[in-house]
Amino acid sequence: ALSRSGYEELLAYAGLRVEAVESRQAETDRFARRIEERLRGARLLGAGELVAAPLGVEKGIEAVRSAREAIVAGTLGYMTFALARA
């Protein structure tokens, strides 16, 4: 993973010019929120021990909460780049 400027440098090195960049922070947060809601639902249904996941439901909820904190802080997310040949 790179910062925005890191991707812009990499794309320029590949002969591409960045025409526009759109942050997808809101979409990233909504996606993480939906994952957390589903994990909490699984916990309510008692599926915490039945889910075949390496972390389990409780650890999954903790991981998603940490991810959401990083999203709000701006250290986790994604952007879309509109490109043109340089």
Side-chain angles (χ1 to χ4, degrees):
L2 299 172
S3 64
R4 175 182 171 165
S5 62
Y7 279 111
E8 288 173 341
E9 289 177 25
L10 182 65
L11 293 164
Y13 180 77
L16 299 167
R17 184 178 67 249
V18 176
E19 296 286 316
V21 180
E22 292 183 5
S23 172
R24 297 296 184 198
Q25 184 175 0
E27 290 88 344
T28 306
D29 188 53
R30 278 194 297 272
F31 180 67
R33 195 171 345 123
R34 286 194 330 255
I35 292 170
E36 183 178 355
E37 289 167 358
R38 285 179 174 91
L39 287 168
R40 289 180 16 201
R43 179 177 60 193
L44 285 173
L45 294 173
E49 301 301 319
L50 302 175
V51 176
L55 293 178
V57 172
E58 291 302 321
K59 292 286 187 186
I61 291 170
E62 290 175 27
V64 172
R65 285 183 182 156
S66 294
R68 290 191 64 208
E69 289 173 9
I71 292 165
V72 169
T75 57
L76 180 65
Y78 74 98
M79 297 177 204
T80 56
F81 292 82
L83 307 170
R85 295 202 185 271

